[in-house]
Amino acid sequence: MQTKAIIQNDAIKIPFLPLRVINQKFESEFEKGFDDFLNSGWYILGEQLKKFENEFANYCGTKHCLGVANGLDALIIIIEAYKELGIFKAGDEILVPSNTYIASVLAISKAGLIPNLVEPNLEDYLIDVTKIEAKISAKTVAILPVHLYGQVCNMAQINVLAKKYQLKVIEDSAQSHGAIFQGKKCGNLGDASGFSFYPGKNLGALGDGGAITTNDDALADVIMAYRNYGSHIKYENKYLGLNSRLDELQAHFLSVKLKSLDQDNESRRQVADYYLKNIQNEAIILPNYPNGTEHVWHLFVIRCSKRDELKKYLLDNGIETLIHYPIPPHLQKAYSFLNYNKSNYPIAENIADTCLSLPLWPGVGKNEQKHIVSSLNNFILNN
């Protein structure tokens, strides 16, 4: 379904992400599901959640999917579960990219481990696999690659390093629902994976939501209890767990939207392909990605040395953009206690200072695409 640009005062207004438009095609199924949900009288850990967990596990190709409250909790619970299994302990280190949303790093800290930041590369903005090995120490227990913007990290090389040093691999798949690397979907490329279903994601709920996928039976068993107060049996608590459960209604919404996820991702690829082929301005650096991966374009991120000028120029031309992310984790006040050496992360800072995300969603209209491209091509540095 294509959308029409919004006309106000003779100017084209293109929103960054019109969630109302995106969810409109699912409305009748959502409403029917709500009626079923309401009449069931069972609102948490019921049949709708089991249904979605089975569907999403099958979609990712994993044995297990466990719904949780959000993407941050998904990562925290994975790490806590490994602690319960005696594989991790407080004070251990996990390698994580320096260019990511803070949740990837925050999960490690909240679980009592230490995030050890690895710089990205400027080719794809993902963790630089050539820099991982130098960061591995006796305290390192895992690598947490982030499939940022909808693009899968080089999991072949990451898994080779993990096997060599006996490390766990925890995928952060919050932005990469349906992305594929060498024939396998993300969520099935490591030991466990955390997903977010925040409304703006490629597979987004109508509220917060998350899930964990894994093929590890022992890990799944711990997670099953940990998300529910540490309890397999009501009032019997084996672990110091959390209340972190994907509710029945959001599970239904996600089941409805999962059916068209691949189609919606293909629509995103078509828009991204149009941008890549038609944006021709030396002031703008376009994203690129290697062969062997299927990008799902959660975000289309360009870079420009005069990013703030470009952002204002696009807004003046009726185009809303966002910055993902203006402050890298090592510069956040929350992480001042770790005393990160700021000079060690120039690439993450470069990306943060120059990146800009363009409007991209399934069904964005051709006229909107043309206006975005034309505006970018007409931008003059220092204009």
Side-chain angles (χ1 to χ4, degrees):
M1 178 181 69
Q2 289 198 344
T3 62
K4 294 182 179 179
I6 302 168
I7 307 297
Q8 293 181 353
N9 299 325
D10 298 322
I12 299 177
K13 301 296 182 184
I14 304 176
F16 180 76
L17 188 67
L19 291 177
R20 176 69 185 88
V21 171
I22 291 169
N23 286 311
Q24 195 168 21
K25 68 179 180 179
F26 306 110
E27 200 167 289
S28 61
E29 287 188 85
F30 284 169
E31 290 174 352
K32 181 183 183 303
F34 178 78
D35 289 342
D36 294 342
F37 158 81
L38 186 63
N39 293 327
S40 74
W42 193 289
Y43 306 136
I44 294 174
L45 296 180
E47 292 304 314
Q48 287 295 335
L49 178 59
K50 290 178 185 176
K51 178 176 180 289
F52 172 70
E53 287 175 334
N54 288 333
E55 290 170 348
F56 197 63
N58 289 335
Y59 179 81
C60 294
T62 58
K63 290 176 66 175
H64 304 282
C65 169
L66 301 109
V68 295
N70 54 69
L72 174 59
D73 278 6
L75 295 175
I76 292 172
I77 291 170
I78 291 169
I79 299 169
E80 291 285 6
Y82 276 128
K83 287 169 64 181
E84 295 291 353
L85 290 169
I87 296 171
F88 297 171
K89 64 181 183 303
D92 285 341
E93 291 185 353
I94 295 181
L95 304 183
V96 63
S98 56
N99 177 45
T100 185
Y101 182 54
I102 198 169
S104 313
V105 185
L106 190 59
I108 299 168
S109 306
K110 296 297 284 185
L113 278 72
I114 308 299
N116 189 347
L117 305 181
V118 181
E119 280 275 77
N121 64 68
L122 279 175
E123 292 300 309
D124 55 20
Y125 314 138
L126 304 176
I127 190 168
D128 189 336
V129 294
T130 68
K131 296 176 180 175
I132 291 176
E133 192 164 18
K135 288 276 190 171
I136 297 172
S137 72
K139 290 186 175 182
T140 307
V141 292
I143 305 169
L144 199 159
V146 181
H147 305 317
L148 201 64
Y149 311 148
Q151 182 170 342
V152 185
C153 299
N154 189 326
M155 295 304 296
Q157 293 186 40
I158 288 171
N159 283 322
V160 166
L161 286 171
K163 183 176 181 180
K164 178 179 178 180
Y165 291 97
Q166 297 183 304
L167 308 176
K168 293 297 182 184
V169 176
I170 302 169
E171 298 174 77
D172 183 338
S173 302
Q175 300 185 9
S176 58
H177 313 79
I180 294 174
F181 179 83
Q182 295 181 351
K184 293 178 69 174
K185 285 193 174 75
C186 70
N188 191 25
L189 297 166
D191 295 292
S193 178
F195 285 88
S196 167
F197 301 126
Y198 181 77
K201 304 299 186 184
N202 290 36
L203 181 61
L206 273 66
D208 273 321
I212 296 164
T213 56
T214 185
N215 293 309
D216 185 329
D217 294 340
L219 184 69
D221 186 66
V222 176
I223 291 168
M224 179 76 76
Y226 203 95
R227 70 175 178 180
N228 187 38
Y229 299 98
S231 173
H232 286 111
I233 302 171
K234 194 169 186 178
Y235 303 129
E236 294 183 19
N237 303 84
K238 189 173 182 179
Y239 312 111
L240 298 175
L242 300 174
N243 173 16
S244 181
R245 304 171 300 204
L246 179 64
D247 71 60
E248 288 285 281
L249 188 57
Q250 298 302 336
H252 168 71
F253 294 153
L254 291 165
S255 285
V256 170
K257 295 182 73 173
L258 180 60
K259 290 181 287 189
S260 65
L261 177 58
D262 287 342
Q263 179 183 345
D264 289 341
N265 282 342
E266 182 57 33
S267 293
R268 289 175 177 271
R269 290 190 189 99
Q270 291 173 9
V271 177
D273 186 61
Y274 181 82
Y275 288 166
L276 290 169
K277 289 178 177 176
N278 292 283
I279 297 172
Q280 299 178 356
N281 186 331
E282 292 182 356
I284 295 167
I285 300 171
L286 296 174
N288 68 80
Y289 58 100
N291 293 327
T293 67
E294 290 190 26
H295 204 315
V296 294
W297 297 103
H298 172 60
L299 297 171
F300 191 97
V301 179
I302 61 174
R303 289 193 299 122
C304 179
S305 62
K306 299 292 184 181
R307 187 266 312 283
D308 294 341
E309 289 182 20
L310 176 59
K311 182 175 175 58
K312 181 181 183 303
Y313 163 83
L314 290 173
L315 188 60
D316 290 343
N317 281 272
I319 301 166
E320 182 183 21
T321 59
L322 294 179
I323 299 171
H324 299 87
Y325 302 96
I327 306 174
H330 70 279
L331 295 180
Q332 296 285 357
K333 184 177 180 181
Y335 277 105
S336 59
F337 73 99
L338 284 180
N339 296 313
Y340 285 122
N341 187 334
K342 295 178 176 58
S343 64
N344 288 345
Y345 309 106
I347 299 175
E349 292 184 30
N350 182 331
I351 294 170
D353 290 341
T354 60
C355 67
L356 189 66
S357 300
L358 302 182
L360 190 155
W361 66 86
V364 59
K366 283 292 184 184
N367 288 339
E368 293 164 295
Q369 295 176 45
K370 290 177 180 177
H371 181 65
I372 290 166
V373 167
S374 174
S375 298
L376 287 165
N377 287 342
N378 290 328
F379 174 72
I380 301 173
L381 212 58
N382 298 319
N383 66 340

